[in-house]
Amino acid sequence: MINETACPLDCFDACGIKVENDSIKALKNGHTLGFLCPHLNHYSNYETISAPRYKGEEISLEKALQKLKEILSETKKNEILHYRGNGNFGLMQEVTDHFFASFGATLTDGTLCDGAGEAGIIEGRGSNKNMPLSEIAKSEVVIIWGRNPHATSSHLLPHLKDKTIIVIDPIKTKIANMADLHIQIKPHGDLHLALLLSRFLYIEDGYNEEFLNKYASEYEEFYELTQTVRIKATLDEIDVTLGQIGEILSLIKNKKVAIVCGVGIQKYSDGADTIRAIDAFGVGLGLFGKEGCGISYLGNSKDGINTPFNTKAKRVSKVDTEFSNYKTVFIQGANPLSQMPNSLRVKESISKVENLIYFGLYENESSEIADLIIPAKNFMCKDDIRTSYSHNAMMPMPKVTDSDIGISEYDLSDYLSREFDVELKDETEYLQHFKNFAVKQMDGMWHVESREDIPYQDGFDTDDNEFLFLEEFDKDFNMKDKLFLITPKSSKSLNSQFKRENYVYLNSSLGFKDGDDVTISSACGNVSLKVKIDDNVREDCVLIYSGTTGVNNLTSSKHSYEGKCAIFQEEKVNLAYS
């Protein structure tokens, strides 16, 4: 049996792996470089759901599928919701969307992760084409803006060797301690810093005039917009000095620069504007379309690939889904009771669902209350294929081991399609459809054929090939009242999977001690956690890792202005002893 496959997890690394004697090892070729990311390194240590259940009692898979059929048969189609998460990046995951869309159920749209940032990128560039790892490796200076690569993208780290590193982050992360310059900015100050960087780049004649004339002719108008930012007041508000801005511009002058952005900087209502302003700074430097230069965020993982599935359906937002509007809810690979914002609202809404079905690998808050639980097969026990939002590889995920536990997404959809007379092709046809978009490269890896290593070499994907600058922004931002909530990803967990955190991390200046029980409160709700003191956290911040039980009691179910994205860091919080 084939023993090489790829990790399915929703993370930057997308490790290539081989399976030997039930152990997972990293491939040495391609971007994986012979080591696994923190999430995959302990993947096999976590128990998965071993048997189907209905109303708390174990049943056979055959009976579980029969019960699913009965439930769907007895529910009006407009009262069925399919809520699918993105924790598995296999392209075949979408086959369930095909069934439910064809059946007439409601699906979801929007995102709990990166949608605001992507919206900002598309508004400016016309598309979301990412700067791949291979180009970051050729840069001379890397600005890591709101990303913690030791936790979220460890395969970036080897490419940072011998480079000038600038970190912009409210947390003094491991990479910040290694950096040539760390700006410990206040949360939500990134938009204004990006605007000021563009302003001073112009003042100091540091911009790339040839590039601007060709692909960004409205730069003068954008400079006028940056002039509306009050320099001293804004610097004081975001806790950045004029000297630090000067140091950034000095370090990047006449260098190949890569700006590597994380999702935390766009977890706000105006998150799209933040990424778009950073893009504008990159445009001023002429970073696009050049070797070793560019801006890396989360690229469109499906760029250059057409789906073979029918996904046309009525949709509701994944951010503020009103579950109580549906009699039957089918949850796939998601944990809305933990992952969605405003958990207290979600809990109340989902409690009114008559038939709650959970299809996934792990026990969690959502599986605990489900009526019917159907275990999924893990990625090693089924055929799939994946792409990535951090590189251009297309990675086959062939079955490498057998298991009697669970059912694959395709086999579940095949069963339902046969029972309800929905057209579904053979699995091999779908897999071949995706493979047709790939071509083998010199490194032996398959890459998406239409993707460029250096995107935007002929200008941007707008009507006139020019970058569209931000024309207005929110000048009023509350930096003083209450404490900032920071919700980064942990190296130990991936959202609500694996070893979840259960602490709140605070600066010692706030007067608490390790082990203190505190209640963190926002306008949406509260959660009680034990304290861990960490002076790498700013004194005006409360850090609770994503996936921590109860953290989303604190967050709002409002959307970003652009991108229909959750805004997990919008709400500010108070602290009190429990």
Side-chain angles (χ1 to χ4, degrees):
M1 183 176 285
I2 297 172
N3 73 339
E4 290 189 2
T5 184
C7 171
L9 296 176
D10 174 12
C11 94
F12 289 97
D13 291 292
C15 299
I17 63 174
K18 58 183 177 181
V19 180
E20 295 180 351
N21 300 321
D22 294 326
S23 66
I24 296 174
K25 297 181 180 180
L27 293 182
K28 293 182 179 180
N29 63 321
H31 66 278
T32 307
L33 302 174
F35 70 95
L36 300 175
C37 76
H39 303 119
L40 188 57
N41 211 19
H42 304 290
Y43 181 87
S44 57
N45 297 337
Y46 299 96
E47 291 186 7
T48 57
I49 299 172
S50 60
R53 299 196 303 271
Y54 182 66
K55 301 293 187 181
E57 293 186 9
E58 284 194 10
I59 57 175
S60 68
L61 181 60
E62 183 180 3
K63 287 185 177 179
L65 295 177
Q66 181 63 34
K67 177 55 68 175
L68 174 60
K69 174 190 171 183
E70 290 175 9
I71 291 171
L72 295 180
S73 298
E74 295 169 2
T75 307
K76 294 179 181 178
K77 293 178 180 179
N78 63 357
E79 294 181 344
I80 299 172
L81 172 69
H82 176 39
Y83 189 101
R84 182 170 66 85
N86 294 319
N88 186 317
F89 249 58
L91 295 173
M92 288 297 296
Q93 296 294 300
E94 202 175 39
V95 68
T96 52
D97 287 3
H98 175 92
F99 166 74
F100 281 104
S102 302
F103 187 63
T106 300
L107 277 61
T108 60
D109 62 6
T111 171
L112 302 182
C113 182
D114 61 309
E118 180 173 58
I121 287 171
I122 292 172
E123 285 173 352
R125 304 183 208 169
S127 65
N128 181 16
K129 296 176 179 177
N130 202 32
M131 180 185 188
L133 288 171
S134 57
E135 288 305 305
I136 297 174
K138 300 172 186 175
S139 64
E140 297 169 302
V141 180
V142 179
I143 301 175
I144 299 178
W145 203 324
R147 192 191 293 190
N148 181 5
H150 286 88
T152 65
S153 42
S154 57
H155 287 91
L156 171 64
L157 295 171
H159 302 300
L160 302 181
K161 186 179 180 181
D162 300 326
K163 291 177 171 45
T164 299
I165 305 297
I166 301 168
V167 173
I168 303 170
D169 200 305
I171 310 302
K172 196 170 187 179
T173 57
K174 189 173 181 178
I175 195 66
N177 282 308
M178 301 163 58
D180 297 272
L181 173 64
H182 174 213
I183 296 179
Q184 198 164 7
I185 191 172
K186 277 187 183 180
H188 206 181
D190 308 280
L191 167 60
H192 293 80
L193 175 58
L195 292 170
L196 287 173
L197 283 169
S198 288
R199 181 171 177 178
F200 282 97
L201 182 72
Y202 187 93
I203 291 170
E204 296 184 7
D205 292 328
Y207 55 91
N208 187 318
E209 187 172 4
E210 180 182 356
F211 183 85
L212 293 177
N213 287 337
K214 193 171 184 180
Y215 297 123
S217 60
E218 295 184 353
Y219 191 74
E220 291 279 357
E221 288 83 350
F222 178 65
Y223 171 65
E224 291 178 6
L225 179 70
T226 69
Q227 288 181 300
T228 65
V229 180
R230 297 167 57 218
I231 296 175
K232 185 179 185 306
T234 299
L235 289 173
D236 289 344
E237 285 287 345
I238 66 176
D239 201 12
V240 175
T241 68
L242 202 56
Q244 289 173 322
I245 287 181
E247 193 169 356
I248 291 175
L249 296 180
S250 175
L251 288 171
I252 66 176
K253 188 174 182 179
N254 299 322
K255 301 291 186 181
K256 292 182 179 180
V257 179
I259 303 177
V260 178
C261 299
V263 298
I265 58 178
Q266 54 90 68
K267 290 183 178 181
Y268 304 95
S269 298
D270 58 353
D273 290 350
T274 297
I275 298 291
R276 196 171 175 189
I278 293 172
D279 259 8
F281 177 53
V283 168
L285 291 166
L287 298 185
F288 292 93
K290 291 183 179 179
E291 183 180 77
C293 299
I295 296 180
S296 171
Y297 178 59
L298 282 74
N300 177 4
S301 64
K302 295 179 181 177
D303 181 41
I305 301 171
N306 296 327
T307 181
F309 301 120
N310 170 36
T311 59
K312 186 177 181 181
K314 178 184 177 182
R315 292 179 181 263
V316 294
S317 171
K318 191 172 288 185
V319 177
D320 63 352
T321 312
E322 189 55 72
F323 293 101
S324 61
N325 289 340
Y326 303 92
K327 180 180 178 181
T328 295
V329 174
F330 185 96
I331 297 171
Q332 176 187 336
N335 183 12
L337 279 173
S338 170
Q339 294 169 291
M340 283 180 66
N342 201 344
S343 294
L344 300 178
R345 183 204 69 82
V346 175
K347 184 177 181 180
E348 180 182 3
S349 179
I350 212 166
S351 69
K352 299 173 183 177
V353 175
E354 184 175 326
N355 304 303
L356 186 64
I357 302 155
Y358 176 84
F359 175 48
L361 283 172
Y362 302 104
E363 300 285 9
N364 54 41
E365 291 91 335
S366 300
S367 69
E368 286 177 5
I369 67 166
D371 301 290
L372 176 62
I373 297 173
I374 302 174
K377 284 193 178 295
N378 76 37
F379 74 97
M380 293 180 284
C381 302
K382 59 192 176 189
D383 291 312
D384 210 326
I385 192 165
R386 73 159 294 166
T387 51
S388 170
Y389 44 69
S390 70
H391 55 72
N392 292 334
M394 178 177 281
M395 307 173 72
M397 299 171 61
K399 178 180 176 181
V400 294
T401 188
D402 289 312
S403 174
D404 293 330
I405 297 173
I407 186 171
S408 72
E409 290 75 17
Y410 178 83
D411 287 343
L412 177 69
S413 300
D414 183 49
Y415 168 81
L416 291 174
S417 295
R418 284 186 280 106
E419 294 295 329
F420 291 100
D421 198 26
V422 168
E423 182 179 355
L424 187 71
K425 296 178 182 178
D426 187 81
E427 183 177 27
T428 57
E429 290 189 48
Y430 293 121
L431 290 167
Q432 187 58 50
H433 171 92
F434 292 123
K435 291 175 183 177
N436 289 340
F437 292 99
V439 62
K440 203 165 191 176
Q441 298 289 316
M442 294 291 290
D443 60 4
M445 302 290 289
W446 290 91
H447 287 213
V448 180
E449 186 172 16
S450 63
R451 293 190 195 172
E452 305 164 288
D453 286 336
I454 306 174
Y456 307 111
Q457 292 182 73
D458 298 317
F460 298 97
D461 293 329
T462 54
D463 291 340
D464 57 4
N465 299 122
E466 291 203 19
F467 184 80
L468 297 177
F469 288 101
L470 195 65
E471 295 181 348
E472 60 181 358
F473 65 95
D474 187 357
K475 298 181 179 65
D476 298 321
F477 51 108
N478 175 19
M479 289 287 190
K480 294 180 179 177
D481 296 335
K482 301 183 182 180
L483 297 166
F484 295 97
L485 175 64
I486 307 293
T487 59
K489 293 187 184 296
S490 167
S491 61
K492 300 175 184 178
S493 65
L494 190 58
N495 300 319
S496 63
Q497 299 179 79
F498 311 135
K499 188 177 180 180
R500 296 163 67 177
E501 296 271 356
N502 55 6
Y503 293 96
V504 55
Y505 292 81
L506 304 174
N507 190 288
S508 60
S509 65
L510 291 173
F512 297 96
K513 296 182 177 62
D514 277 337
D516 282 348
D517 293 308
V518 298
T519 297
I520 308 98
S521 304
S522 75
C524 299
N526 62 74
V527 61
S528 295
L529 297 167
K530 285 192 178 297
V531 170
K532 273 197 175 180
I533 295 299
D534 185 352
D535 285 343
N536 291 313
V537 180
R538 285 180 56 101
E539 63 184 24
D540 54 3
C541 292
V542 170
L543 188 154
I544 307 176
Y545 284 105
S546 171
T548 300
T549 301
V551 62
N552 282 321
N553 293 353
L554 306 171
T555 57
S556 168
S557 55
K558 294 179 182 178
H559 293 83
S560 56
Y561 297 143
E562 305 289 342
K564 198 175 282 190
C565 184
I567 51 175
F568 288 112
Q569 295 180 174
E570 185 89 0
E571 293 295 324
K572 299 187 78 176
V573 297
N574 288 318
L575 292 171
Y577 286 104
S578 297

